[in-house]
Amino acid sequence: MLQPRIPVNPLPTGTPNSLNHPAPAPAAPAPLVPARTTVQLTPGSALALAAGGGAVVLVVGTVLVSMLLAVAITGVSVALIAVVLRLLVRDMQKGR
């Protein structure tokens, strides 16, 4: 009852079956492509690459430091609000 059954689905008449007819071989071999290209850096391009990398490091560092500062300011604010609320609740319980 719970055994899997594989449905029989024959191909319709007139439809080519790619399993019976392999693809034809290419007429001409593909041209050979070098495995790896070499990049030569001139002193000017090396300097530009170093300056670009330094700029990226500075920008990413600035963003990360500003995010850390925002989290720190938020944490201090929440802690200060918690202290003020605690004092207000204590004063309300004492009946002042």
Side-chain angles (χ1 to χ4, degrees):
M1 179 176 155
L2 297 175
Q3 294 177 352
R5 297 176 191 256
I6 301 173
V8 178
N9 188 11
L11 292 175
T13 327
T15 304
N17 188 351
S18 62
L19 297 176
N20 295 335
H21 305 288
L32 295 176
V33 178
R36 188 170 65 179
T37 59
T38 58
V39 177
Q40 295 181 356
L41 291 176
T42 62
S45 63
L47 183 63
L49 186 64
V56 167
V57 167
L58 287 176
V59 168
V60 170
T62 302
V63 169
L64 290 177
V65 167
S66 64
M67 289 173 58
L68 180 64
L69 185 61
V71 169
I73 290 173
T74 304
V76 169
S77 300
V78 169
L80 186 63
I81 289 172
V83 168
V84 169
L85 284 176
R86 183 178 173 194
L87 290 174
L88 288 175
V89 168
R90 184 181 292 169
D91 284 344
M92 286 176 55
Q93 288 177 350
K94 287 183 178 181
R96 290 185 183 183

